[in-house]
Amino acid sequence: MYKKKEDRFEYAANLEENFLSPDEKWFNKGDNRDTWIYIKYYDKHPHVLIVDVKNNKLVAETFYRLDKDEYRQDFIRKGRGVLLQKK
């Protein structure tokens, strides 16, 4: 997984598009928090935006890109809640 902060500036410009026009949107109801997961597919890597609700406001918790193989093998297998939207 690409989680180095130094690399995030390369794709941070995609954050707004990822939120406003995701290819997939997931909802995960947790014991302590509800999380929305926005996924946008780009040429080689899906970009993932994790959003929580804090004080009745949406808060972006993290934004990163995945290797496509990692996405297929790991991300879906772990279960990301309920798929709300898929383009």
Side-chain angles (χ1 to χ4, degrees):
M1 200 176 307
Y2 296 95
K3 285 200 171 187
K4 291 183 180 177
K5 288 185 179 182
E6 310 83 57
D7 295 340
R8 290 186 188 190
F9 74 91
E10 295 175 10
Y11 52 91
N14 298 327
L15 180 68
E16 184 176 0
E17 182 180 8
N18 211 101
F19 180 72
L20 296 175
S21 182
D23 293 320
E24 294 180 14
K25 184 177 176 182
W26 296 77
F27 176 72
N28 188 358
K29 180 142 183 81
D31 292 334
N32 298 323
R33 67 181 188 165
D34 296 340
T35 303
W36 283 263
I37 302 162
Y38 297 81
I39 302 172
K40 183 76 174 173
Y41 295 95
Y42 292 95
D43 293 330
K44 296 182 180 180
H45 304 281
H47 293 190
V48 179
L49 171 64
I50 308 291
V51 176
D52 289 340
V53 176
K54 292 184 178 177
N55 299 320
N56 294 322
K57 294 181 182 178
L58 293 175
V59 177
E61 289 295 324
T62 189
F63 183 58
Y64 56 92
R65 66 182 180 195
L66 291 173
D67 178 334
K68 281 188 178 181
D69 289 333
E70 181 179 12
Y71 176 77
R72 282 194 302 270
Q73 296 171 8
D74 190 50
F75 196 73
I76 293 296
R77 182 171 41 106
K78 286 183 178 178
R80 290 295 166 196
V82 177
L83 181 61
L84 301 174
Q85 170 187 331
K86 183 169 181 153
K87 286 188 178 179

